[in-house]
């Protein structure tokens, strides 16, 4: 009798395991030290339950391996949904989705322009995030803050060159700056790596030497060097993706946020409910609650003058109801 009971228990457990909605997540990089992927992990693991199983695989920084790793996950045939990230992955997702037409794929923080019936993608409106960052930088450099100078110069340091940086982030940052400060000059530098703080610091030093008093860092781990150099110089940094102000409140005045944790959890929930629109792509931003800034951070409230906070809040509300203006070179 006891053997029969144990056998029934095993069968029930196996049935329950088989009925779970299984999500495989390929991280195109590593989680530790990467703000965006720490948020991805938070959003994904927050969905784990008796009904949803989450498996996270870190792909490392060798981009040539990411597609083969996605193929390996799809070949297992065990996942109801495979999820991966970044603008470097649309072509790979398309190829793998064609190889496995019965497998569902979700690409987040990247867009598939011509989606297949088994793919879904959602990208952030980076134009909104960087336009707001430009507004903020343009206001800070012309302010009476102790770290601001009279040069009217701001900087942007990127981890690498890629379409979103070239076509969206840089031009919209520049547009934001000149919208509130028409005579301001914007410097631009590329580290060539997302994990080289020394090179990041070197580029920051060059921009500060050239008159910049605030730099927008979109450089991943390389941005650590930007923050270090700004700290030595008594200058300022803007960061993106998650709130990094507590790391150095006197240097990091604001962070402009992508709520990718929310996007991950909502995507999983919709897929589980059969409500995710495969065969489609979309962009999300302020109006959807996916892009924000550190408006309620206590250091932001105490270190940023009231008039700058008010002007930034005004533009945030403008973008909530309408698109960011287009750069002239678009």
């Amino acid at each position: 009798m006891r053997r029969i009971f144990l056998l029934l228990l095993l069968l029930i457990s196996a049935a329950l395991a088989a009925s779970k909605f299984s999500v495989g997540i390929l991280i195109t990089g590593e989680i530790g030290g990467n703000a965006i992927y720490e948020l991805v992990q938070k959003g994904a693991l927050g969905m784990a339950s008796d009904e949803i199983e989450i498996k996270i695989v870190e792909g490392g920084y060798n981009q040539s391996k990411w597609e083969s790793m996605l193929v390996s996950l799809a070949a297992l045939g065990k996942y109801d949904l495979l999820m991966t990230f970044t603008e470097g992955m649309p072509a790979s997702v398309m190829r793998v989705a064609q190889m496995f037409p019965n497998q569902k794929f979700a690409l987040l923080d990247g867009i598939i322009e011509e989606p297949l019936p088994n793919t879904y993608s959602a990208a952030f409106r980076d134009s909104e995030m960087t336009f707001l960052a430009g507004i903020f930088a343009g206001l800070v450099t012309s302010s009476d803050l102790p770290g601001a100078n009279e040069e009217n110069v701001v900087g942007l340091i990127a981890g690498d060159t890629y379409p979103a940086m070239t076509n969206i982030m840089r031009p919209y940052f520049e547009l934001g700056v000149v919208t509130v400060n028409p005579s301001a000059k914007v410097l631009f530098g590329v580290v060539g790596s997302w994990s080289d703080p020394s090179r990041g610091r070197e580029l920051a030093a060059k921009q500060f030497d050239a008159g910049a008093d605030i730099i927008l860092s979109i450089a991943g781990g390389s941005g650590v060097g930007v923050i270090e150099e700004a700290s030595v110089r008594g200058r300022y940094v803007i960061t993106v993706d998650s709130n990094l102000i507590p790391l150095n409140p006197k240097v990091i005045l604001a962070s402009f946020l992508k709520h990718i944790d929310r996007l991950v959890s909502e995507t999983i929930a919709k897929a589980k409910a059969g409500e995710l629109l495969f065969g489609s792509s979309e962009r999300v931003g302020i109006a959807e609650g996916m892009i924000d800034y550190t408006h309620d951070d206590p250091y932001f409230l105490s270190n940023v003058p009231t008039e700058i906070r008010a002007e930034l809040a005004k533009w945030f509300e403008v973008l909530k109801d309408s698109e960011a203006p287009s750069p002239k070179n678009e």
Side-chain angles (χ1 to χ4, degrees), residues 273-320:
E275 297 172 355
L276 195 63
L277 297 178
F278 291 100
S280 71
S281 298
E282 63 178 328
R283 292 188 182 275
V284 295
I286 292 172
E288 295 80 13
M290 296 297 179
I291 287 180
D292 203 348
Y293 70 98
T294 48
H295 54 84
D296 57 354
D297 181 274
Y299 294 115
F300 177 81
L301 294 172
S302 62
N303 294 337
V304 178
T306 302
E307 59 272 19
I308 293 180
R309 289 189 277 114
E311 184 70 9
L312 187 61
K314 182 193 80 174
W315 279 102
F316 183 82
E317 292 302 318
V318 168
L319 294 180
K320 187 181 290 185

Side-chain angles (χ1 to χ4, degrees), residues 78 151 171 182 247 251 261 266:
K78 62 181 288 187
E151 301 298 325
L247 291 179
V251 169
D261 52 339
E266 289 187 7

Side-chain angles (χ1 to χ4, degrees), residues 97-124:
Q98 288 172 330
M99 294 169 61
F100 298 92
N102 295 322
Q103 172 68 62
K104 298 294 195 298
F105 296 86
L107 173 66
L108 304 185
D109 203 14
I111 205 81
I112 297 174
E113 298 293 349
E114 298 180 1
L116 295 171
N118 59 330
T119 68
Y120 164 82
S121 67
F124 292 95

